[in-house]
Every structure is written in C-alpha cells, then in structure tokens.
Amino acid sequence: MRNDDSEILLVEDSEDDVELILHSLRREKVANKIHVARDGEEALDFLFCRGAHAERSRERPPGVVLLDLKLPKVDGIEVLRQLRAEPSTRAIPVVILTSSREEKDLVNGYSLGANSYIQKPVNFDSFRETVKQLGMYWLVVNVPPPSGAFPRAEGRT
Amino acid sequence: MSLPLQQKLIVPGLLLAIVIPAAIGYITYQQGMENTAAAGWVGHTYEVRAKVQVIYTQLAEITSSTRGFLINGQEEFLGPYTVAARDIGGRLQELRKLTADNAEQQKRVSALEALVARRLTYSQALLDIRRKQGYQAAARITARGEGLQIMAEVRELAAAMDTAEQILLQRRITELRENNRRTQLLFLGLAGSLAAVLLAAVWLAYRNAVVQQRVLDLTEQARAHSENIVNTVRTPLVVLDSDLRVQSANRAYYRTFLVSAAEVEGRAFHELGSGQWDIPGLRHRLEEILAQHTTLEDFEVERDFPGLGQRIMLLHASKIFRVGNNTETVLVAIEDITARKRAEATLTNLSRDLQRQNTELQAVNQELEAFTYTVSHDLRAPLRHIHGFSHILTEEYGPRLDAEARRYLARVEEGADRMGQLLDDLLNLSRVGRKELTLQVTGLNSLVEEVRTELQPETAGRQIDWRVETLPFVECDPALMKQVLANLLGNAVKYTHPRERALIEVGHLRQNGQSVIFVRDNGVGFSMKYADKLFGVFQRLHRQEDFKGTGVGLATVQRIIHKHGGRVWAESELDQGATFFFTSCNPAAPLETIEHANGGHR
C-alpha cells in the first residue's frame, strides 16, 4: 500500500472490537503501524503529543483516526471536537466507527467534521468488508494533507 | 305633527294672538273717530244752513223795518233795522269761516256780501229820501222794485248754498257708509282669523295632551317592561337606598336566598339573613359608591348562607339615579359562583395531574430513548463479538474441527445474525414511532422503482412478472413511504419464492372516495383467521425455516401508515396469494394531491 509510512490511530475501548479490527486489517495486509488508544484521554495525549506520548513528533500525525464514540473518560465526540479545534490536527481524516446508529450521534459527528460515519455490522463478513474498504479508501485512494501543512501555532495554548 | 313644528308655531301664533286684537281695537277706534268726524260734518251743514237762514231773516227784518218807517215815518220803527244792520256783518264773517274749506261756497258768500251791501245801501238811500222828501218820493223809488229784486237774488243764492251743502252732506254720508262697510268686512276678517288662531291653539293643546298621555303610557309600559326583566333575570338583584336599606329585590333574590319580600324590604343590607353581608370592607365599599361614584366589582364573599350551606358569592354594585323621585340608589347584583369555583378547582387539579403525567411521560420517553440507545450500542457490540470470533474460529480452526462442531459454530453465527437483524428492525420500528413526519408530494412510481432496484439481490435468477400501474402522487414522508413499499414488495418477493413464475402487482383503486394503493402477489398467502396477528410485533405466520423474518416488518408498515393517518389491511387465502391495501392519508392530507394524467395500464 502506498501510504505505508503513516500511522493509523484506533480509538476503541472494547478489547474484543480491537482484536476483531486488527485481525481484519492484518488479513487485508494493511502494513501501516496501528496505534490503539483505549480511551478518549489517551487518544488526545497521542494526538497532541503529551503525557505518555510527550516524546512523539508533532510533525507526523496519524494518516487516519478510527474513532469509537462510547469511550471511558473523554467520549469520542469530545475527542473529535478538540481535534478539530487545534490547527495542527484539524486536517487529520477521522472515521467514526461505532455500534450506534442513533441520529443524534450521526448529526453530532458530521457537524463536528467527521469524514465518515460507519456503523459496525453484526455480521463479521460485512464487518470485514467494511474495514477492508476503509483501509482501501483512506490509506490508498485518499491523498492526505502534506505533513506540517497545518503547523501548531507556537506560543499559543 | 311633530313636536318641533308645534314649537315653531308657538311664537308666530302668539304674535297673531296679540296683533289681531290690537288691529281690531285700532280699527274700532279709527271708525269711531271717522263717525265722530262725519257727525261733525252733518252739524256743519246744518250750521251753514242756519247761518244762511239767519242772514236771510235779518235781511227780511231790514226790509220790513225799512218799509214800516217809510209808511208812517216814525223813527222807532227803525229799531230792528239798526240791530240787523249792525249784526249782519258778523254773521257774514261767521258764514265765510264756516265755508272756508269750499271755494264755491266762498264765492257765494262773496255774492251774498255784495247783495247785503246793495240792500243796506238801498235801504239807507230810501230812509234818507223819506226823511228829506217825504213818503211820495220814497214810494216812487220803491215802485221800481229794486228791493224785491235784491231779496229774490238773496233767496236764490241761499237756496244754492243750501243745495251745495246738502249735496256735500249726502256725499260724505255715502263715503262714511262705504267706509263703515269696508271696516266691518275687515273687522269680520280679523275676528275670523283670531277665531282660527284660537282654534289652532286649542287643537295644539289637545294634541299635546294626547301626546303627553301617550308618553305617560309608554313610560309606564317601559317601567313594567324593565320590572319584568329585573324579575325574570336569574341573577339576584337588590336596590339599596342612600342608607343602604333594601328598597326592593327581584324574584331571583327571594328564590336564591329563600326569603320573602317582607323579610327583606326596608331592612339594612348588612342585617339581612344571618348577617351574611355584614362585612366591614363591603359596607365601606357600598358607602363609597354613593359618596364617590365608584363601582364595586367582583367582591367575593365565601361563607355559610342560611339554608344554602357554604357558598361563594360574587358581588357587583353601582349607583343608579332615579329620575322619578330624584334619589340615588345602589344596585347590587349577586352571582353564585360556587359551582364555577369548584369546576375551576377541579380543572386546576386535572391540569396539574395532566402536567404531572406529561412530565412522567417525558421521563418515560427519555428512558425509552436511553434504552434504545443502549440496545443499539451495548447489545450489538457483544453480538458482533460472538459472530466475529465464531467466524474466525470457523475460518482459521475449521479444518481441525469435526463436522458437528463446525455445524454448531454455523448455528452460533446464524443466531447472532438473526439477533442482529432483529435488533436493527426493532430499532427501526422505535425510530419510526419517534420520527416527525417530513411531508412532501412524492410520486409513488419512483419509490416503487427504487425499491425494486434495491430488491435485485433477492430477485436475481427468479422469474417475476411485475405489473406496476401508474400510481398517484401523494403527500407523505418519502423515506417512510419507501419503507412501507420496501416491506410490502419484499414480502411479495419472499412469499412467492416457491412459485415458478411469480406475479407481483402494484395498483391503485378508489374506495369510499379514498385512494387505495395495493400490492398483490400469487404467493403462499395465509389463512384469514390469523389476519389479526398480521401487523403485531414479532407475530409470524410462517416458520423460520420456510421463510426467514423477524416479525417486525408489517408492524413497522402499520406504524408508518397510522402516522400518516391512513389504514392498512390485507386479504388472502391460504396458497392463493395475498393482497395488502393501504390508504396513506387522512382527509386533511389527501392522498391524491396530484392525480397522474395517464390512466393505469393493466
């Protein structure tokens, strides 16, 4: 795959889901490094290179964020809000990947600038097909913004 | 005759009543004056005639006295002559004055004066001759007859004067008569006018009296009428005098408070009954009405009334001025609002209950929403894991398992699949129930086409004869209407599966003035004795092995149609196909907003 070097950030609290998603991605031969965050706070630390991820370079944002909505500590909608509020992370593609098909989640997600909204199917074949198409689209078809195109405004907090 | 006209007539009538008698008086006076003047003229005529007579007599005396002296020559015979000769000048002067207004008579007076002068000269001459030359000489002169001639001229002249005076008198009398007749006519006219004016006055006075009587009658009628109203009105009314004593009360008062007129009239208002109106604030307010022209409105009295029990009365009062006897009274209207107050209290309670129920309902709704969210998210997740891991197990470890184990795993996956489907359908049903309708005019044919396209995975490889009529445009929520058609057409496809050639019709007919859409198939159908179960949630008429399904589809259809105010029903016979009908509207949202121009093509 073309964007082999860019990382995928998977934000998902369910261990089972993490395993099923990783299994599917591996099966589809996705070679990108996949970082898993188990709650909203960890996801934000990773994205903003702080806390446990303070040594991470801001110059290399993830190629795509797969975001669950129902998360411990900070929920997915809040993660999305902070991500979009910050210039250096504003352009990162975000795919909401959730069990919920509630209208209010859909509306919230899109209005905060989610790039896609995908409901995890119960059927594993469909699930795998969805993950495959996701990978194809965001890691092969889609052209990501150039790194450093949206620098973090220094001196501003 | 209108009253203003009568009033307008009063002033001219009064003027006539003054002017006419005055004119009569004036005319009468004027006539008296004229008659007096006429009498004066008559007297004047006689005076002239008498004066002429006197002059003639004196001349005769002068003649006879002269003659006596001539005959016997004695001077004493000349006495009358001397007197007459001395006076006759004065008489002539008087006659001239009397006839000063008449030029003819003046001429005659002058002639008379000349004759008198001739006679006196002639007599004087005779007397001188008799004295100096004696009788014979005088007799010779007399024999010439000059004296006789003078006297004849005087007689003639006196007669002429007399005649002139007579004629004058006659003319004046005639004029006077004429004048009198005119005056009498005028008098008669005026008297007649006066009589007419008086008659008119009398007639007006009579009319006035009649009108006044009628006004009195009307006033009495109006009084009786208003008394009738006061007595008929169902609101108790009391009239109080300036000391707040009861002057009168109406029947409603007696009836309501179970009292008689005798118990009420003349008594102070605050002493009535059990002293029910003895409220310091009320008395003060009633006194204020008379003193300060205020009104009393909505004064509420709640207490135990004798014979009535606990009641709430509302008092209104205002001042009334009675023109008849110039008194000010207070009209008090009393309204029993007990029933109304109780109804209001009940209503308030009901409304509070409703409010509480509404709040509860909202809480339940929120709970339901939270529950739906949980079902949607939390129940689906483990289901997905079950399905996912059993799938991976089959895939990656299948070869190491025996057939029985693989079959069990397949059953696990199927079960998870079906439960996933069930959850999706249930969530959809709940979403349909909560969703607000977004109505727009929609062509049903285009929806049918969309649904048919989406059904292609199921219809691939099958022989299906579609007969879709030209359907109307209807006002509906297009997304929900599409779900209805998707369910009905999906069912038709599903239940015609055993048929070698399936026939599916979508049509449109009119029933009781309503437009009805129907979907007919030649599938396995169902027995009408289970028709009532058809639209219930989880109700299925077929086994899962025969036809897969969750039993939620038709429940969703019914919910959507009901939301549109329409009706859905089905007709079938076992193994003879089924027909589903629906009207998608209530009369307020007509199904056929736009009827398609082309007819059907069956």
Side-chain angles (χ1 to χ4, degrees):
Chain A
M1 289 206 176
R2 206 182 60 197
N3 300 316
D4 279 357
D5 51 342
S6 68
E7 265 181 304
I8 296 173
L9 174 62
L10 173 63
V11 192
E12 174 63 70
D13 65 325
S14 158
E15 203 176 341
D16 291 329
D17 272 331
V18 169
E19 197 170 338
L20 287 173
I21 291 165
L22 292 181
H23 188 276
S24 304
L25 287 172
R26 270 199 304 274
R27 210 184 119 102
E28 297 307 324
K29 312 262 191 298
V30 171
N32 306 55
K33 192 178 170 197
I34 301 168
H35 185 89
V36 178
R38 301 295 301 279
D39 59 51
E41 191 183 78
E42 200 186 328
L44 287 172
D45 283 351
F46 180 86
L47 286 164
F48 297 143
C49 309
R50 65 191 188 198
H53 300 280
E55 77 291 345
R56 241 178 60 79
S57 165
R58 283 177 196 143
E59 302 305 312
R60 287 180 51 79
V64 65
V65 179
L66 304 179
L67 182 66
D68 191 11
L69 290 182
K70 211 178 169 200
L71 295 168
K73 295 182 187 170
V74 181
D75 71 17
I77 291 293
E78 181 56 29
V79 171
L80 182 60
R81 193 196 322 277
Q82 294 196 21
L83 195 74
R84 289 292 182 242
E86 175 60 43
S88 65
T89 56
R90 183 175 293 159
I92 301 172
V94 174
V95 177
I96 292 173
L97 194 59
T98 177
S99 301
S100 164
R101 244 189 74 191
E102 275 305 293
E103 208 170 285
K104 73 167 196 275
D105 287 337
L106 270 161
V107 171
N108 271 338
Y110 277 119
S111 61
L112 283 169
N115 301 77
S116 288
Y117 188 105
I118 290 160
Q119 190 195 21
K120 298 171 194 163
V122 169
N123 186 292
F124 190 63
D125 276 332
S126 312
F127 184 74
R128 207 149 54 186
E129 185 60 27
T130 306
V131 172
K132 177 181 162 188
Q133 281 174 8
L134 252 177
M136 276 296 288
Y137 181 75
W138 289 108
L139 300 172
V140 179
V141 180
N142 185 50
V143 179
S147 60
F150 299 92
R152 188 174 178 169
E154 292 297 337
R156 258 175 52 184
T157 48
Chain B
M1 189 181 280
S2 68
L3 223 68
L5 184 59
Q6 282 192 9
Q7 279 173 349
K8 273 186 220 161
L9 284 175
I10 284 176
V11 172
L14 210 63
L15 278 177
L16 278 179
I18 292 166
V19 166
I20 292 172
I24 288 173
Y26 174 76
I27 289 163
T28 312
Y29 169 76
Q30 198 65 22
Q31 187 158 29
M33 292 295 280
E34 272 172 30
N35 285 350
T36 309
W41 282 116
V42 173
H44 180 260
T45 301
Y46 284 113
E47 220 177 324
V48 171
R49 290 170 74 185
K51 207 57 83 180
V52 172
Q53 200 59 48
V54 165
I55 289 165
Y56 182 76
T57 308
Q58 282 184 334
L59 275 179
E61 268 177 31
I62 286 169
T63 306
S64 63
S65 178
T66 305
R67 191 181 294 128
F69 180 75
L70 289 182
I71 292 169
N72 49 40
Q74 288 176 16
E75 283 294 326
E76 53 266 36
F77 275 89
L78 282 176
Y81 168 86
T82 312
V83 173
R86 190 190 64 212
D87 290 350
I88 201 160
R91 298 290 170 269
L92 279 168
Q93 279 293 310
E94 281 165 15
L95 185 62
R96 180 169 287 280
K97 251 189 232 164
L98 277 174
T99 58
D101 59 325
N102 194 320
E104 289 291 313
Q105 295 290 68
Q106 288 276 302
K107 268 191 220 163
R108 287 193 189 101
V109 171
S110 299
L112 191 57
E113 274 173 346
L115 282 176
V116 168
R118 256 177 75 192
R119 175 70 226 195
L120 283 176
T121 311
Y122 174 64
S123 283
Q124 196 60 50
L126 277 180
L127 290 179
D128 285 345
I129 291 169
R130 171 69 173 90
R131 277 185 200 116
K132 286 168 187 168
Q133 295 168 24
Y135 175 76
Q136 287 304 324
R140 272 194 306 275
I141 292 170
T142 30
R144 286 182 217 156
E146 194 179 347
L148 288 173
Q149 197 186 336
I150 289 169
M151 280 313 278
E153 278 181 44
V154 168
R155 268 198 303 277
E156 200 178 321
L157 200 56
M161 282 190 80
D162 197 57
T163 308
E165 281 301 318
Q166 283 287 359
I167 288 166
L168 211 55
L169 182 64
Q170 205 57 50
R171 205 169 64 222
R172 280 174 183 150
I173 285 169
T174 310
E175 266 174 28
L176 189 66
R177 283 219 187 101
E178 192 81 353
N179 201 20
N180 269 357
R181 225 187 59 224
R182 271 206 311 273
T183 308
Q184 273 165 5
L185 279 177
L186 186 62
F187 187 88
L188 270 177
L190 284 172
S193 304
L194 186 60
V197 167
L198 285 175
L199 213 63
V202 167
W203 184 71
L204 283 179
Y206 168 74
R207 265 204 73 95
N208 239 356
V210 167
V211 167
Q212 233 166 42
Q213 186 54 49
R214 199 180 303 158
V215 167
L216 280 177
D217 287 351
L218 284 175
T219 311
E220 172 55 26
Q221 274 173 27
R223 199 196 58 76
H225 183 65
S226 56
E227 199 172 286
N228 254 336
I229 291 174
V230 164
N231 272 327
T232 310
V233 111
R234 289 176 62 181
T235 308
L237 298 172
V238 190
V239 178
L240 306 178
D241 63 15
S242 51
D243 297 327
L244 300 183
R245 284 182 183 281
V246 178
Q247 243 179 25
S248 61
N250 68 346
R251 267 182 232 144
Y253 185 89
Y254 302 135
R255 215 166 31 228
T256 306
F257 294 101
L258 313 168
V259 286
S260 65
E263 287 174 83
V264 170
E265 278 173 17
R267 292 187 61 192
F269 186 57
H270 64 268
E271 286 170 353
L272 294 184
S274 61
Q276 60 226 25
W277 311 122
D278 189 10
I279 303 162
L282 178 61
R283 211 195 298 186
H284 180 66
R285 293 284 299 276
L286 289 176
E287 280 162 359
E288 255 182 10
I289 290 175
L290 282 170
Q292 294 167 24
H293 311 280
T294 54
T295 55
L296 178 74
E297 266 162 37
D298 298 338
F299 189 93
E300 211 176 291
V301 177
E302 183 176 6
R303 63 186 313 155
D304 198 26
F305 287 85
L308 300 178
Q310 193 71 20
R311 289 294 173 101
I312 307 169
M313 301 284 175
L314 209 56
L315 269 61
H316 313 271
S318 58
K319 184 158 76 177
I320 294 179
F321 184 72
R322 276 213 170 153
V323 182
N325 47 8
N326 269 14
T327 51
E328 285 180 343
T329 55
V330 178
L331 177 72
V332 185
I334 302 158
E335 201 181 342
D336 185 347
I337 56 161
T338 315
R340 196 173 85 201
K341 277 276 176 182
R342 278 178 196 152
E344 273 172 16
T346 313
L347 208 63
T348 310
N349 281 341
L350 278 177
S351 145
R352 203 178 300 134
D353 283 357
L354 212 62
Q355 192 86 38
R356 205 191 57 234
Q357 279 172 5
N358 198 25
T359 313
E360 276 171 18
L361 208 62
Q362 271 176 359
V364 168
N365 252 348
Q366 272 171 5
E367 234 169 82
L368 194 69
E369 218 157 301
F371 174 74
T372 313
Y373 189 83
T374 305
V375 168
S376 168
H377 193 279
D378 294 6
L379 288 190
R380 282 166 61 92
L383 207 55
R384 199 169 54 244
H385 304 153
I386 293 167
H387 195 276
F389 289 114
S390 63
H391 196 89
I392 292 168
L393 204 59
T394 311
E395 250 178 20
E396 295 181 8
Y397 302 92
R400 279 184 262 169
L401 296 173
D402 59 21
E404 189 77 350
R406 282 205 298 276
R407 199 171 61 81
Y408 288 151
L409 275 176
R411 297 285 281 272
V412 169
E413 258 182 73
E414 264 172 46
D417 248 350
R418 209 166 65 239
M419 190 168 164
Q421 191 58 50
L422 205 56
L423 281 177
D424 282 349
D425 288 354
L426 264 183
L427 285 173
N428 185 47
L429 181 64
S430 123
R431 222 183 344 260
V432 164
R434 282 177 290 148
K435 189 176 186 289
E436 298 244 340
L437 292 182
T438 313
L439 295 178
Q440 61 189 76
V441 176
T442 311
L444 290 182
N445 280 92
S446 62
L447 288 185
V448 168
E449 283 320 300
E450 279 179 44
V451 171
R452 275 180 60 183
T453 309
E454 285 168 21
L455 282 172
Q456 260 168 11
E458 281 99 86
T459 55
R462 284 187 51 192
Q463 282 226 332
I464 299 178
D465 185 4
W466 291 93
R467 293 186 190 169
V468 182
E469 275 185 35
T470 301
L471 302 172
F473 281 72
V474 302
E475 192 173 29
C476 63
D477 186 311
L480 295 182
M481 188 52 73
K482 189 178 162 187
Q483 279 197 41
V484 168
L485 291 169
N487 269 298
L488 294 180
L489 296 185
N491 280 349
V493 168
K494 181 159 67 179
Y495 294 107
T496 52
H497 199 264
R499 302 285 182 252
E500 205 174 311
R501 278 187 70 91
L503 172 64
I504 301 174
E505 283 178 74
V506 185
H508 162 231
L509 53 89
R510 291 196 75 82
Q511 202 179 62
N512 301 328
Q514 269 193 315
S515 200
V516 179
I517 309 293
F518 65 87
V519 176
R520 179 175 294 141
D521 65 56
N522 64 341
V524 297
F526 56 88
S527 165
M528 282 301 279
K529 63 181 167 181
Y530 304 119
D532 58 326
K533 288 188 167 185
L534 215 51
F535 298 99
V537 183
F538 298 140
Q539 296 287 348
R540 300 208 66 225
L541 303 182
H542 301 277
R543 286 179 305 185
Q544 193 68 28
E545 301 97 281
D546 299 335
F547 298 99
K548 290 186 188 305
T550 56
V552 182
L554 286 179
T556 308
V557 166
Q558 191 181 46
R559 190 166 289 186
I560 292 171
I561 295 300
H562 283 178
K563 257 186 114 72
H564 280 81
R567 211 159 58 82
V568 60
W569 70 100
E571 283 171 8
S572 177
E573 217 175 299
L574 203 55
D575 220 28
Q576 297 294 311
T579 310
F580 284 82
F581 301 89
F582 68 87
T583 64
S584 82
C585 57
N586 51 24
L591 184 69
E592 293 161 282
T593 305
I594 305 161
E595 190 75 69
H596 206 283
N598 302 322
H601 62 277
R602 291 192 67 157

